[in-house]
Amino acid sequence: MFRKKKEKVELVEKKSQGLWRKCEKCEQIIYNQEWEQRYRVCPNCNYHFRLTAMERIQLLIDPMTFEEQDREIYPVDALSFKYLDTTYKEKLKEAQEKTGQNDGIIIGKGNIYEYPIEIGVMDFEFLGGSMGSVVGEKIKKAVFYAIKYKIPLVLVATSGGARMQEGMLSLMQMAKTSAAVAKLEQYKLPFIMILTNPTTGGVSASFAMLGDIIMAEPGALVGFAGPRVIEQTIKQKLPAGFQSSEFQLEHGFVDMIVERKNLKQTLFNILDYLYDW
Amino acid sequence: MVLEFEKGIHEIEEKIKALKEKDKFPDFDKQLELLESKYHAEIEKVYSELNPWKITQIARHLDRPTFLDYINMIGTDFVEIHGDRNIGDDQAMITGMMKIDEEKFFIIGQQKGKTMEEAKKRNFGMPNPEGYKKALRVMKMADKFNRPILTFINTQGAFPGIEAEERGQGEAIARNLREMAKLRVPVVATVIGEGGSGGALGIGVANMVFMLKYSVYSVISPEGCASILWRDSTKASEAAKALKITADDLLKLGLIDGIIDEPLGAAHRYPEQTAQNLKNKLLETTKELARMSRNKLMDRRIDKFLNMGKFSEKPLK
Ligand SMILES: [Zn+2]
């Protein structure tokens, strides 16, 4: 059952204003129309621009089939974390206003070429995709829904690491999400990870590295320690391409690099191998 | 090594030492008694004024007992197990078997060095991926032969280096988190010094997690947090306070299961008493856990970590 449907996905939240823009990476002038048609990939250098969680869902899930779950889980400032002239609570409110999301992940059930999956997508726009209690809880819930409906789980990571302002609560989300994956294993349901730019820190040392199959977008930064921390520690410059998805493929830590335009089809093909709906 | 805030204690310690080296003189006993009461008063004063940053410095104290020191103090018949059967034998992570009062355990812990030479050999207690893989190999063996596992956490973090990334530091830690969750034997983890981030947690998914009274456990070092959020690494003291990294704070947050007491003056001054407290707690806890079935040990451990986190069903006010 290999479906080759050529469907046209429109990313609703149009980011284009005017006719053209400058690529963040190669600084070439690119046409917005072409950029949108390529799902926000630079036609010149293939740089994959960031997508919000909702845009990613539009890319991967059949139109009108996505049902968001557990939207009503909100973050709290459990440590009353204050720094400089601000607080974690203030930062949360700013991020909520900016993104229209309660925290850094959306989970839900939706169809891929008419077959249901459970999906969770992180959002870098929300405090750098950092993993705090809400992200951990929703990943746990996504695992539980996959088990409940007996459907595959797909998670899309984009994260700078742990949510420092939640202290050890955030570190424990690494153990929590990994324990959830351990639970999912018992039910023999597929778990596919998609790594996008960037996937670093605590997320890269927990659920994101535990997929049955791990896919990555081209050129994404994927690694545990941040490049700056490594450079400070070893006191030398890092080679070009260090910790890119291509580097991870070469070293055996991701299974494949998939261009954004092929992501949905490839995801479906893999799920079809692992699972009979 | 003398900590800034322990200088007063140190001065009296030196005086007592000097006095004891002298020949007895008429007033000797009285003077010694006086100095000793001064000493205890000073310790009490200094230790009642501790804050999270000072506790961090105690946790990192070079004279603080290391994993190997505790092995010597609480165990017998230690047999070290070497290597991950793939890359090599990570010296920052020590694994093996030992007996405590004839009870048999598999043990795993990070080893910081005390001398510069040992510190270099041990990579300052910062494991590479092969360290986590060695730890996992030994934990699986413990599971196979149905023996309880004790882990001893003491690291600034997993090593951030080129080879560590090439060999998959993130994957190695992630795998340990998942596989430790699934172990069907009692697992007890104790933070004995510094619990640094994912590198600490990589051997920390336990049925019971304890901290020595003057240890710390943090998602990021106070210096690292200060340089990111305060944009000034000298604000480490403020960051240490905000991050809630002490045993008392973490017990209140429900993220650890208990605190193992250290005498006032801490383990670098009283290693034997601290080791005795540690030993008692480990024996008592593993005995308790041994009553659970293999499946229950796993299920309880998974459920415990699945329930960690603080959030709300209502929006922020
Ligand atoms: Zn470009």
Side-chain angles (χ1 to χ4, degrees):
Chain A
M1 175 182 57
F2 278 79
R3 301 189 163 221
K4 277 250 188 266
K5 278 197 182 170
K6 274 280 171 218
E7 65 172 63
K8 196 89 208 89
V9 181
E10 285 259 316
L11 300 178
V12 182
E13 297 171 45
K14 280 265 187 236
K15 289 254 171 83
S16 319
Q17 278 171 345
L19 267 179
W20 53 268
R21 68 177 50 236
K22 211 177 199 178
C23 171
E24 291 167 14
K25 182 93 178 198
C26 69
E27 301 191 335
Q28 281 274 332
I29 304 297
I30 48 181
Y31 282 99
N32 269 328
Q33 201 187 354
E34 197 179 357
W35 179 69
E36 288 284 4
Q37 272 166 5
R38 296 173 56 111
Y39 313 110
R40 302 200 182 129
V41 173
C42 172
N44 182 53
C45 72
N46 204 33
Y47 177 67
H48 284 51
F49 284 67
R50 268 186 210 121
L51 298 182
T52 64
M54 227 36 235
E55 289 165 349
R56 181 70 62 178
I57 288 162
Q58 287 162 16
L59 180 77
L60 296 176
I61 298 296
D62 299 344
M64 314 295 287
T65 67
F66 183 72
E67 296 162 31
E68 186 174 354
Q69 296 150 334
D70 294 309
R71 199 182 161 76
E72 310 301 307
I73 298 178
Y74 298 90
V76 293
D77 182 8
L79 309 186
S80 303
F81 199 105
K82 293 182 184 65
Y83 55 108
L84 296 176
D85 55 354
T86 189
T87 62
Y88 177 40
K89 199 168 158 181
E90 284 307 313
K91 289 285 171 192
L92 281 172
K93 283 186 189 161
E94 278 172 29
Q96 287 172 341
E97 242 160 71
K98 180 176 138 196
T99 62
Q101 301 296 334
N102 298 331
D103 207 299
I105 190 169
I106 296 176
I107 63 164
K109 194 171 161 237
N111 291 354
I112 177 165
Y113 299 128
E114 295 168 21
Y115 289 88
I117 61 168
E118 177 70 24
I119 186 167
V121 184
M122 298 183 77
D123 200 329
F124 196 81
E125 300 300 310
F126 198 100
L127 297 178
S130 53
M131 176 159 68
S133 295
V134 173
V135 171
E137 178 68 10
K138 284 195 168 185
I139 288 174
K140 174 184 103 177
K141 292 274 192 176
V143 165
F144 285 8
Y145 285 120
I147 292 169
K148 181 179 169 190
Y149 298 119
K150 300 188 183 70
I151 52 176
L153 173 67
V154 176
L155 295 178
V156 184
T158 170
S159 174
R163 179 91 47 92
M164 267 178 287
Q165 299 95 327
E166 291 191 21
M168 281 291 286
L169 287 162
S170 73
L171 187 74
M172 288 305 155
Q173 303 313 307
M174 292 170 63
K176 176 170 177 165
T177 54
S178 304
V181 174
K183 192 124 189 147
L184 185 67
E185 276 185 348
Q186 298 171 353
Y187 296 85
K188 308 248 185 284
L189 293 162
F191 165 33
I192 312 296
M193 263 319 303
I194 300 173
L195 310 181
T196 71
N197 187 41
T199 301
T200 59
V203 167
S204 81
S206 60
F207 70 91
M209 279 295 153
L210 297 175
D212 294 305
I213 297 288
I214 302 177
M215 303 159 65
E217 285 199 331
L221 176 70
V222 178
F224 175 61
R228 251 180 306 163
V229 175
I230 299 175
E231 285 184 339
Q232 278 168 14
T233 307
I234 61 171
K235 297 184 176 63
Q236 61 185 83
K237 278 255 162 238
L238 293 171
F242 186 71
Q243 295 182 315
S244 61
S245 16
E246 292 76 11
F247 169 96
Q248 298 296 350
L249 180 74
E250 191 187 320
H251 288 91
F253 295 101
V254 306
D255 292 288
M256 60 196 76
I257 292 176
V258 185
E259 303 251 341
R260 191 172 287 166
K261 63 178 189 306
N262 300 327
L263 202 53
K264 183 173 180 179
Q265 183 67 54
T266 310
L267 176 62
F268 182 79
N269 291 350
I270 288 166
L271 286 172
D272 183 47
Y273 270 115
L274 304 184
Y275 188 72
D276 298 313
W277 270 280
Chain B
M1 173 189 161
V2 181
L3 298 172
E4 189 61 37
F5 59 88
E6 288 199 332
K7 275 198 171 140
I9 302 174
H10 182 72
E11 269 169 33
I12 309 172
E13 273 171 341
E14 290 294 301
K15 278 183 193 161
I16 292 174
K17 219 166 98 190
L19 183 69
K20 280 181 174 169
E21 277 165 10
K22 282 184 191 163
D23 293 327
K24 283 242 179 189
F25 54 89
D27 235 7
F28 184 92
D29 290 334
K30 211 173 158 194
Q31 279 218 23
L32 184 64
E33 203 179 304
L34 191 74
L35 275 177
E36 278 180 341
S37 80
K38 255 177 129 178
Y39 173 67
H40 290 296
E42 178 68 11
I43 284 193
E44 229 166 276
K45 179 172 170 284
V46 169
Y47 274 69
S48 67
E49 291 166 355
L50 289 182
N51 59 36
W53 180 235
K54 287 179 182 173
I55 293 174
T56 305
Q57 292 169 63
I58 295 172
R60 293 172 178 171
H61 199 294
L62 282 176
D63 296 334
R64 193 168 171 83
T66 62
F67 178 34
L68 280 176
D69 294 325
Y70 285 118
I71 292 176
N72 288 327
M73 289 189 285
I74 70 175
T76 58
D77 305 288
F78 172 55
V79 177
E80 186 166 357
I81 296 172
H82 292 276
D84 72 337
R85 296 283 197 271
N86 184 23
I87 293 282
D89 185 34
D90 193 329
Q91 297 293 311
M93 185 81 82
I94 293 176
T95 62
M97 304 172 284
M98 76 171 181
K99 291 177 191 163
I100 307 178
D101 288 358
E102 298 310 310
E103 297 288 330
K104 294 162 196 158
F105 296 95
F106 278 70
I107 58 171
I108 288 151
Q110 291 113 349
Q111 177 67 18
K112 285 186 180 179
K114 282 185 155 171
T115 61
M116 201 49 185
E117 199 186 342
E118 197 205 352
K120 277 188 184 156
K121 176 183 163 194
R122 301 292 180 189
N123 198 28
F124 300 87
M126 295 183 283
N128 276 283
E130 53 271 29
Y132 293 99
K133 289 177 186 176
K134 172 165 79 167
L136 183 59
R137 175 172 83 88
V138 170
M139 289 191 268
K140 291 207 160 173
M141 185 153 50
D143 188 279
K144 179 177 174 184
F145 298 111
N146 207 23
R147 298 279 188 228
I149 298 167
L150 306 176
T151 75
F152 300 80
I153 294 167
N154 193 14
T155 183
Q156 310 173 37
F159 186 61
I162 290 184
E163 288 87 4
E165 294 293 320
E166 288 173 343
R167 299 202 284 264
Q169 190 71 284
E171 194 273 348
I173 292 171
R175 178 186 296 267
N176 277 24
L177 301 183
R178 184 189 63 200
E179 296 301 313
M180 277 191 92
K182 286 155 44 182
L183 293 168
R184 289 164 204 257
V185 291
V187 185
V188 179
T190 309
V191 184
I192 58 172
E194 201 177 3
S197 196
L201 188 62
I203 58 166
V205 182
N207 292 89
M208 298 294 267
V209 179
F210 299 125
M211 286 174 74
L212 286 182
K213 189 169 173 68
Y214 302 117
S215 65
V216 291
Y217 197 177
S218 183
V219 64
I220 182 170
S221 72
E223 295 93 328
C225 179
S227 76
I228 297 171
L229 293 184
W230 278 261
R231 296 187 198 95
D232 178 357
S233 62
T234 65
K235 296 282 190 272
S237 179
E238 284 171 60
K241 182 165 171 256
L243 283 165
K244 304 270 192 286
I245 61 179
T246 65
D248 286 332
D249 281 332
L250 294 172
L251 188 65
K252 269 184 223 145
L253 284 167
L255 297 178
I256 62 166
D257 302 288
I259 300 173
I260 298 170
D261 201 29
E262 291 179 48
L264 289 182
H268 59 284
R269 217 165 256 115
Y270 301 105
E272 291 290 344
Q273 276 144 280
T274 306
Q276 189 62 46
N277 295 344
L278 175 63
K279 176 180 163 176
N280 294 344
K281 191 72 168 180
L282 294 178
L283 282 177
E284 171 196 312
T285 308
T286 45
K287 208 169 175 183
E288 191 84 16
L289 290 172
R291 290 211 286 261
M292 270 188 230
S293 71
R294 283 172 59 82
N295 282 341
K296 199 164 178 187
L297 283 163
M298 174 182 73
D299 292 342
R300 283 279 178 89
R301 195 182 312 110
I302 289 178
D303 285 346
K304 169 180 144 165
F305 284 94
L306 284 180
N307 283 319
M308 282 187 182
K310 297 222 186 282
F311 44 85
S312 168
E313 285 163 9
K314 292 197 188 97
L316 281 166
K317 274 202 208 97

